[in-house]
Amino acid sequence: MNWDLFKKLLKSVDKYSTAFGRIWLSLVFIFRLLVYVVAAEKVWSDDHKDFDCNTRQPGCTNVCFDHFFPVSHIRLWALQLILVTCPSLLVLMHVAYREAKEQRLREASGDNYRCIYPNPGKKRGGLWWTYLFSLIFKAGVDVVFLYVFYRFYKNYTLPWVVKCELPPCPNVVDCFISRPTEKTIFTLFMVVTACICIVLSLIEVTYLIGKR
């Protein structure tokens, strides 16, 4: 990861965000992205290797693992973080478009130039709608992924033992998940932080509409 580029992007997003947006950004960066990169990836690095079933039937362990873990937590979280941060880049692109348009008009008009965007980052007109859309989209993404996690992993928890009777398993076999308590704690932590981010986004939407 290019941390210098990432730092510049964070500064740009922070510059054009409201106070609630800055809190949301800090929460995503510290409690979601860093936790994902530093800790969560290591916790789930052994999920398939250490998923053990009490049978030697070829293929049984793989089939049971695929049934109980159709999509890895890590891949879902990575996709969620990508989708939830992209709308902020959309706001930056809109501001950059305004600045480029201002520059083109300044060069074309010369002495007759009349400024149309005194403050390109001010949330007025199209930029206001772009910012509002980004907030709704971010909250929507988190809600959808919370639902997906709930459907795949009931109550966001991982059991110690799961029973599997899918073919080619010869009968009902017991399968054991690696570090289920630790994984459950991380899952609940990510769920709680996502809920807080949703609340912050909705508060910012209310603030933005009320201020207008």
Side-chain angles (χ1 to χ4, degrees):
M1 180 181 288
N2 190 330
W3 288 104
D4 289 334
L5 177 61
F6 189 70
K7 185 179 178 181
K8 290 179 182 178
L9 285 174
L10 281 177
K11 285 184 176 180
S12 300
V13 172
D14 182 75
K15 180 180 178 181
Y16 301 116
S17 298
T18 66
F20 297 108
R22 294 186 183 98
I23 297 173
W24 180 92
L25 185 64
S26 300
L27 190 67
V28 169
F29 178 70
I30 297 173
F31 293 104
R32 296 178 73 175
L33 183 60
L34 285 184
V35 168
Y36 171 83
V37 172
V38 175
E41 280 189 308
K42 294 180 181 178
V43 172
W44 265 271
S45 62
D46 59 354
D47 55 348
H48 186 273
K49 182 178 67 175
D50 292 341
F51 183 82
D52 189 31
C53 297
N54 58 355
T55 179
R56 294 185 178 274
Q57 178 69 27
C60 179
T61 300
N62 288 336
V63 169
C64 293
F65 180 84
D66 184 68
H67 176 71
F68 290 107
F69 298 96
V71 183
S72 168
H73 280 67
I74 292 300
R75 291 178 179 84
L76 275 176
W77 278 330
L79 183 60
Q80 182 180 8
L81 286 171
I82 290 170
L83 291 176
V84 89
T85 52
C86 279
S88 298
L89 300 180
L90 187 64
V91 174
L92 294 183
M93 290 170 62
H94 197 140
V95 173
Y97 165 77
R98 281 185 166 187
E99 291 173 343
K101 185 177 181 180
E102 191 79 21
Q103 181 66 26
R104 287 197 304 269
L105 288 173
R106 185 181 295 111
E107 293 173 354
S109 303
D111 295 337
N112 298 322
Y113 167 70
R114 184 178 178 182
C115 182
I116 58 173
Y117 297 122
N119 183 1
K122 194 171 183 65
K123 298 172 188 66
R124 291 289 185 270
L127 184 60
W128 186 88
W129 287 104
T130 301
Y131 197 88
L132 183 66
F133 168 77
S134 72
L135 295 175
I136 296 172
F137 185 84
K138 288 187 289 190
V141 166
D142 277 334
V143 168
V144 168
F145 273 88
L146 285 177
Y147 175 75
V148 170
F149 272 108
Y150 183 80
R151 292 291 296 176
F152 283 167
Y153 311 105
K154 202 70 172 177
N155 298 324
Y156 306 111
T157 58
L158 282 78
W160 293 350
V161 182
V162 292
K163 295 187 179 295
C164 180
E165 52 183 339
L166 298 171
C169 299
N171 46 41
V172 178
V173 297
D174 294 330
C175 296
F176 304 91
I177 299 171
S178 170
R179 298 188 283 189
T181 303
E182 187 177 14
K183 291 177 179 177
T184 296
I185 291 172
F186 270 101
T187 301
L188 292 175
F189 177 83
M190 297 296 267
V191 167
V192 169
T193 53
C195 290
I196 296 173
C197 285
I198 292 170
V199 172
L200 284 172
S201 294
L202 295 178
I203 291 174
E204 192 172 8
V205 167
T206 306
Y207 168 79
L208 205 65
I209 294 173
K211 189 177 179 181
R212 176 160 179 161

